[in-house]
Amino acid sequence: MTTAPSLPPAELHLAELTEANRPTQLPLLTRIAGLLATSAAVTHLLVRGSLASGTADRLSDVDFVVGVHDRDLPAFTSALDDLMTVTGGALLPGWRDTIVADLGGIGFVFLVQHEGKLQQVDIYLAPASRISALRRQIGGKVLLDRPPAEITTAQIGQAKACVAELTARPRSCTELLIEHLVLAVLLHKRVQRGQRFVAYAEWHKLHTATKDLIKTALAPASRFWGWYQLREELALTPIGRACLADLDAAVTSPAVPEAADVNGALDRVLVLTARACPNALDGLADAITAYRTYLELV
């Protein structure tokens, strides 16, 4: 993937956003926007959500839509984790977002250290060929608008195939552990804001991630879909029975969690991971320690 030199500040259209709304996240937004814009593959940067509408609070995430030339989408997607963890300050590789609406691309959530706090940065990668339609659909504020080089039909097909492959690929135990860590941050926000219905939905998603983690670790060749036949498949070994007990504790917890419930679920899944798939923790020990420290400061 080719990169261009750092762009002059004038090329990122931040003035309108700054005048409308001076959020505490603005320095982080500016830094990540500048980082993304250094790639010649990036054709557009949009900010959406509360930062774009002027309704952000201290818990608001930084929510980007990134247009990438269809030709470059596979390479840029593969490089995004390194870009965000090495240069962007993300603690962990990105979670492949399964909550965001389907806009013809693929979303990732990163947890980024910024001014002593843990901030959520959402990056939705979209093929440049989809940007015009996507802008009409989501609105938002345009930070960067670079006309892309010619996009061929073959390149559009290549980008679609990349998105389809990533969406269909089964998640590893490490990816499912990262999903728990991201969802815990989201849930703490919901609890603090009193967003009970959203908390209910994300709490169920966290339990589903726990189930998927157990099945991926202990029954990767399962013939059964979803929650079916868990006891029959997993209760054959002491590890399986211990994991089922953890899952039972999760699903019998309150339907709408409090902060202590979220923390308890996180403790439980870290113990479960160490028991069932310890290799998922390889290389993440320092990141998880930093994550838990920052989480205590939320």
Side-chain angles (χ1 to χ4, degrees):
M1 182 178 62
T2 59
T3 58
S6 296
L7 297 171
E11 194 162 353
L12 288 174
H13 306 299
L14 294 163
E16 183 182 353
L17 188 69
T18 304
E19 286 302 317
N21 164 24
R22 294 183 180 272
T24 59
Q25 295 90 338
L26 189 60
L28 175 62
L29 182 152
T30 303
R31 179 166 66 83
I32 300 299
L35 178 63
L36 294 167
T38 59
S39 172
V42 172
T43 60
H44 301 83
L45 282 178
L46 289 77
V47 176
R48 60 177 178 166
S50 58
L51 284 172
S53 64
T55 58
D57 62 22
R58 67 181 184 85
L59 299 176
S60 295
D61 58 310
V62 178
D63 194 348
F64 289 104
V65 172
V66 183
V68 180
H69 196 289
D70 296 51
R71 173 197 61 223
D72 299 318
L73 187 69
F76 190 87
T77 303
S78 296
L80 184 61
D81 274 343
D82 285 343
L83 181 69
M84 288 298 296
T85 55
V86 175
T87 311
L91 292 184
L92 300 157
W95 169 51
R96 189 174 34 151
D97 192 346
T98 55
I99 296 173
V100 68
D102 182 8
L103 299 171
I106 189 161
F108 298 90
V109 178
F110 292 91
L111 302 177
V112 176
Q113 308 171 67
H114 178 67
E115 296 183 352
K117 296 180 181 178
L118 202 58
Q119 292 281 357
Q120 177 185 338
V121 176
D122 297 348
I123 295 179
Y124 192 88
L125 301 182
S129 61
R130 287 278 307 148
I131 288 294
S132 293
L134 194 151
R135 284 163 96 168
R136 293 193 295 270
Q137 188 173 352
I138 67 167
K141 301 290 186 184
V142 176
L143 299 186
L144 179 69
D145 190 349
R146 282 197 291 229
E150 180 185 0
I151 302 172
T152 67
T153 302
Q155 290 165 349
I156 292 173
Q158 180 185 18
K160 286 182 178 178
C162 171
V163 171
E165 181 182 351
L166 280 169
T167 303
R169 178 175 58 78
R171 288 166 294 168
S172 67
C173 288
T174 297
E175 290 170 321
L176 288 163
L177 174 58
I178 290 170
E179 180 169 354
H180 283 84
L181 300 175
V182 172
L183 286 172
V185 171
L186 269 61
L187 281 161
H188 275 292
K189 290 184 185 181
R190 309 310 179 198
V191 170
Q192 291 187 55
R193 289 172 169 165
Q195 296 173 312
R196 291 174 57 81
F197 294 130
V198 183
Y200 170 83
E202 291 175 356
W203 191 227
H204 173 70
K205 191 163 195 66
L206 187 138
H207 298 338
T208 301
T210 303
K211 177 267 295 179
D212 290 342
L213 178 60
I214 294 169
K215 285 189 70 173
T216 299
L218 301 181
S222 175
R223 296 180 293 108
F224 298 100
W225 175 255
W227 295 80
Y228 288 98
Q229 300 292 316
L230 289 176
R231 195 164 299 282
E232 290 80 355
E233 285 196 310
L234 300 174
L236 303 176
T237 65
I239 288 178
R241 290 190 290 273
C243 290
L244 284 174
D246 288 335
L247 187 58
D248 192 69
V251 301
T252 54
S253 59
V256 180
E258 299 294 338
D261 299 315
V262 178
N263 291 335
L266 190 56
D267 291 338
R268 190 163 53 239
V269 80
L270 288 170
V271 171
L272 185 158
T273 303
R275 178 199 309 128
C277 47
N279 59 308
L281 295 166
D282 291 349
L284 294 182
D286 290 343
I288 291 173
T289 298
Y291 165 90
R292 301 194 74 167
T293 300
Y294 283 112
L295 200 61
E296 290 173 2
L297 300 176
V298 171

